Amino acid sequence: MQSIEDDWLALAPATIRLSIIIPTYNYAHLLPRALAAASVQLSSACELVVIDDGSTDATAQVLRDTPIKGRAGYLRQANQGPSAARNQGLALACGEWVMFVDADDELLPDALVRVLAHLQAAPETDFLLGGHISCRPDGRRRMHRPGRLAVTAEQRLQDLLFDKRIAISHGCSVFRRERVAQRPYPVGLRQGEDIAVFAFMLMSPAVALIETPLVLIHKHPKSLRHGPVLEPDHCELMVEAVFHHLPSALQRWRCMYLAQCRLSMFRRCYQAGRKPEALQYYKQAFTLAPRRALRWGYLSKVMRLLLH
């Protein structure tokens, strides 16, 4: 694997169409799987960029010792969180489009071939959404399609933020590099930071679906995706991050999205057994949007907490 110090990124051939960006932090035991799945699919139209976000395990050794077939490089930086790592990868990427893959996941066979075929047929694409397969520790797998794609940008945003009718994940999303660079990942957030970027990209002129699953997302207890957020002002930060780059006509949704964020925090605390915090978040959400808080999925959990 080449080093970024060799200036290979500065000498990018004009044929690079797609950059695969893998941010990683203390995933030395899982990173080889992600690297292997991407490496075997690299072609002259692709490159692989790995950002080591200050790992304290054997990640650096893994990156030095793993052979990559194709154009690839890595950069190690001080730990700044997933947003900063993705932004750094974006700054170094040369492809017209970029695809972020988490270090504990793996691209499915022929994923890049299918993505490149779509981009060749529809070069106007700004944002491409594919399906994914989730894999639990016991081996059970489930196929997830990207969902519906509404005609209007406003409806697409509503489907993402409120109605869960569209599913977007890293590893099965492809961004036009110039477009996503207009809305970098919010460095102030360490969880949910991708939602702000996904929301912005759904406002793009050309959004498309590819039903094919592109990535295998591994569910595991130590995943950095999970666990309650500890920052007390996380919900406010989320709302600001999501709406800062959205049109003025959509700012009216701020209050409802704040309620939705508090309900998400309620669910996380509920799952973690943190009863007082869960009830506090629910009360705050109920004050902001009673009808949404009274949905049975939330109300049933509140009743269980109050009865135990």
Side-chain angles (χ1 to χ4, degrees):
M1 186 179 233
Q2 294 170 295
S3 167
I4 237 168
E5 296 175 353
D6 294 333
D7 293 332
W8 64 272
L9 287 168
L11 301 173
T15 55
I16 296 297
R17 303 273 282 168
L18 180 64
S19 298
I20 312 304
I21 302 172
I22 301 180
T24 185
Y25 175 69
N26 285 350
Y27 270 163
H29 59 302
L30 299 174
L31 184 58
R33 181 178 64 192
L35 294 176
S39 174
V40 73
Q41 300 185 50
L42 292 181
S43 67
S44 60
C46 304
E47 67 176 1
L48 176 63
V49 180
V50 182
I51 306 298
D52 178 7
D53 189 41
S55 297
T56 58
D57 61 1
T59 292
Q61 189 67 41
V62 169
L63 290 172
R64 286 193 296 266
D65 295 347
T66 301
I68 300 294
K69 297 179 180 179
R71 173 180 165 78
Y74 69 89
L75 174 70
R76 177 176 170 82
Q77 65 179 25
N79 179 253
Q80 301 172 60
S83 288
R86 292 191 184 102
N87 290 341
Q88 181 66 267
L90 184 63
L92 296 173
C94 296
E96 188 174 354
W97 290 273
V98 298
M99 190 175 187
F100 296 99
V101 179
D102 290 338
D104 52 344
D105 297 332
E106 58 183 315
L107 289 171
L108 290 167
D110 296 328
L112 300 189
V113 170
R114 295 178 184 274
V115 167
L116 288 169
H118 174 92
L119 298 177
Q120 179 69 25
E124 73 281 2
T125 301
D126 295 310
F127 192 26
L128 177 63
L129 309 178
H132 72 273
I133 296 175
S134 61
C135 180
R136 297 188 176 277
D138 61 6
R140 287 181 298 161
R141 296 190 177 193
R142 181 182 176 187
M143 165 71 177
H144 300 264
R145 300 187 182 280
R148 80 172 194 180
L149 186 62
V151 175
T152 67
E154 182 172 337
Q155 185 59 58
R156 292 197 295 266
L157 186 65
Q158 185 172 339
D159 287 345
L160 172 70
L161 298 182
F162 303 115
D163 299 331
K164 312 301 181 186
R165 292 177 177 172
I166 187 169
I168 309 177
S169 298
H170 289 126
C172 54
S173 303
V174 181
F175 310 76
R176 183 180 294 277
R177 181 166 57 88
E178 291 184 356
R179 174 73 178 173
V180 72
Q182 298 173 22
R183 204 301 166 227
Y185 284 80
V187 177
L189 291 173
R190 293 214 170 204
Q191 280 190 339
E193 73 286 346
D194 50 358
I195 297 176
V197 178
F198 294 156
F200 176 79
M201 292 302 298
L202 285 174
M203 301 290 102
S204 302
V207 183
L209 295 182
I210 179 171
E211 294 293 336
T212 305
L214 301 176
V215 69
L216 188 64
I217 295 180
H218 293 273
K219 307 287 187 179
H220 55 96
K222 295 184 179 181
S223 172
L224 300 180
R225 302 183 184 98
H226 307 308
V229 182
L230 300 179
E231 297 90 338
D233 56 351
H234 178 79
C235 292
E236 287 74 11
L237 291 173
M238 279 288 297
V239 173
E240 179 58 29
V242 168
F243 284 89
H244 182 71
H245 287 75
L246 295 185
S248 57
L250 300 179
Q251 298 300 315
R252 68 184 189 278
W253 288 353
R254 275 179 173 262
C255 183
M256 184 175 292
Y257 187 61
L258 178 58
Q260 186 64 49
C261 288
R262 296 199 185 285
L263 287 171
S264 295
M265 293 292 287
F266 158 73
R267 186 174 61 249
R268 283 176 177 268
C269 290
Y270 172 85
Q271 293 170 344
R274 294 163 58 169
K275 178 177 177 179
E277 293 167 278
L279 291 174
Q280 180 183 13
Y281 280 119
Y282 182 81
K283 290 176 182 177
Q284 294 170 350
F286 183 85
T287 301
L288 292 167
R291 292 182 62 182
R292 183 163 292 274
L294 287 173
R295 292 185 174 186
W296 180 245
Y298 301 115
L299 186 58
S300 62
K301 292 180 175 62
V302 172
M303 293 173 64
R304 292 191 194 101
L305 289 177
L306 294 176
L307 293 174
H308 292 85

